[in-house]
Amino acid sequence: MAKSRSTQSRDPNKRVRPASWQIFMVSFFLLYMLVPIISTYVFSVATRWDRTILPEGYTLEFYKRAFAASYFTITLRNSLILSLATILVSLLVIVPTVYWVHTRLVGAKPLLDILMILPFGIPMVVLALALVQVYNFPPLARSPTLLIGAVVIYSMPFMYRPVSNAIQAVDAQVLTEAGQSLGANVFQVLYRIIIPNILPGILSGSLLVFSTVFAEYTLTSLIVGAKFKTFPLLLVEFTRINGNVASAFSVISFTIAWLVSILILWVGSMGNTKRTKTIRAR
Amino acid sequence: MAYLELKNVNKYYAGVAAVHDFSLDIEKGSLVSFLGPSGCGKTTTLRMIAGFEQLDSGTIRLDGNDIVPVPPNRRDIGMVFQSYALFPNMTVRENVAFGLEMKKTPKAEIKKHVDNVLEMVRLQDTAKRFPHQLSGGQQQRIALARALAVQPRVLLLDEPLSALDAEVRVVLRGEIRRIQSELAITTVYVTHDQEEALSISDKVVVMNKGLIEQVGAPEEIYRAPNTRFVATFIGTANQFLGKTSGKNMVVCNNVELFTNSLTDFKTDQPVVVLVRPENIQVQAEQSRQKGWNSIHGEVETITFHGAITRLGVNVNGQRVVADITVANTQPVSLNQKLWLQFPPEACQVMVVEE
Ligand SMILES: Nc1ncnc2c1ncn2[C@@H]1O[C@H](COP(=O)(O)OP(=O)(O)OP(=O)(O)O)[C@@H](O)[C@H]1O
Ligand SMILES: [Mg+2]
């Protein structure tokens, strides 16, 4: 018995068959993840879906109403502004900090690691109310700027982890010294050597931040509310009015998040094509 | 005045001296090696010259100017790293061109220059590849080319060959020496491989525990070591502990040795006598040459090293090693009794500090 198993695993052509409980677990997990998404998609085009297993009819009516909603473009624009601004700010804060700690202040790394978990430990409601109370003076009070600040804090771990791992992997210290010995200053080292080499980390960080911030509700509603309405706010508003239209909004939101993800990945692969091309050419 | 001048350089880590009172003059165009066991401060010294490490005290002058306050990117000092440190995102050509771009060299000139140095390291046809598409030896050549492209005033190499296998190492060290003398570039070469240091250097600096033990030409270091550490670290030396007795005799626990004149020593001074294994002649019969030492022993080990065979001989309880070449000795077998003979000049006598 033991012998046959070991020969099986050594033979690369023979695949190990998953046990039935494994198949069951995986299918259960997939269903658990996919059913809500699929039903959201279906619900957004269903005429009536409460008396039958499948909807009684299909319509694009709810999309029409979604696109026609008075705030549609503005909330979409606000959400994009918020996500992109957050990515920009956290890149500007995180990348130099992580680089600095990895090259000059290695002892501080454990501290930074802990610091970067903290945002997970603070309930968002507490964070929002605290910020609103402390920064209660104009021009910051309840402003989009304050919101960006809050969202940057809360999404920081998502940017920090991938960037930190990427820098860890390239031996930034030696590359920096090599650059310096060739006459480059800190900015040239960062721009020409470090950033291109940690681009995959930067991109996956940006992706994570985008998808979290694009769907952000709590901080936005508590800090700015109606003054700077974002897409999730509009969506929640519509769940109270019409579930089908809210579903249509969800689908639109998913789609945008996917498109942006693909866009970011595509931009990232642009940086790599040069490399792969020459590899193929060899 | 020397081109590169280190004076009383000190560096402490947590109160412990990594480099202690280091003073050294390096002539323009010469290749100087730092040689010493692990942790003796070679890298630290090199990094202080490069500017990556601050001095705790002392000065470093290059061409007469104090360079200690100058940041590393303005020192005009090139460096080759043990791990190559090529930029993975750039092709070979881009890597080599990087330093020239930082200097704002015109495009056409960069191209000419890069072609030149790539030819020098014989890797013209790899210009379009990325570092990960090269072998370790090729990567290190590119690292060398990259450092040379900017024509630095000083070139620093920190164990550049230690990640490569023995054969490549021998070839590359020859290349490094060839290019170095062609360009007459002032070079500091860190290694813990004595053969490497002896074979390519104009001058060897032997270091131990943050201190300079001896500075000298390779032959000098080998033939006339100043300290017991140098004698045993460079090559192999038999050590006989004993006391001086008379004008030219040292009485050891198990043998009495004739040496050159001992007028510099007090009588009954504790000393150590150092004898290199290749200076010992092995004879089956005692054929005493006048004034030579002749000691009797029994062969305990025979180790074949290719060109030589090393014998471990038990002389009244002390292990003495002697080298023989197949050409000029009869075969030796284990437990054979034989005579070890060497002239007084082969004995180097050093005071033992107690
Ligand atoms: N950043 C540091 N912090 C604390 N101690 C250090 C540091 N760098 C070096 N040292 C210590 O200084 C001493 C000299 O180190 P150095 O790296 O110069 O040795 P080395 O001669 O280059 O050795 P090796 O042949 O192993 O590379 C060592 O005892 C080392 O532990
Ligand atoms: Mg070292």
Side-chain angles (χ1 to χ4, degrees), chain A residues 170-171 173-186 188-189 191-197 274-276 278-280 282, chain B residues 47 52 72-74 77-79 81 83 85-90 94-95 98-102 104 128-130 132-133 146-147 150:
Chain A
V170 296
D171 201 347
Q173 171 95 47
V174 178
L175 289 183
T176 301
E177 287 173 1
Q180 284 179 327
S181 74
L182 292 166
N185 62 33
V186 182
Q188 289 164 322
V189 167
Y191 178 68
R192 294 282 313 270
I193 303 166
I194 302 300
I195 291 179
N197 281 309
K274 235 175 49 177
R275 200 180 308 185
T276 30
T278 41
I279 292 174
R280 287 210 195 95
R282 201 151 71 102
Chain B
R47 291 172 57 81
F52 299 134
N73 58 329
R74 297 218 209 95
I77 292 181
M79 180 124 174
F81 298 81
S83 58
L86 294 175
F87 306 133
N89 59 314
M90 301 182 198
E94 288 164 345
N95 263 283
F98 185 83
L100 294 166
E101 278 171 30
M102 294 300 114
K104 306 224 158 47
K128 285 186 186 140
R129 291 200 211 161
F130 282 89
H132 66 93
Q133 299 168 312
R146 181 178 70 175
V150 289

Side-chain angles (χ1 to χ4, degrees), chain A residues 234-251:
Chain A
L234 187 69
L235 195 154
V236 170
E237 210 176 280
F238 264 88
T239 48
R240 302 197 190 103
I241 304 169
N242 181 322
N244 297 88
V245 179
S247 294
F249 274 127
S250 298
V251 169

Side-chain angles (χ1 to χ4, degrees), chain B residues 33 67 176 225:
Chain B
S33 297
I67 56 166
I176 290 176

Side-chain angles (χ1 to χ4, degrees), chain B residues 13 18 36-45 159 192:
Chain B
Y13 286 115
S38 187
C40 70
K42 307 179 296 284
T43 298
T44 307
T45 311
E159 309 205 17
H192 58 241

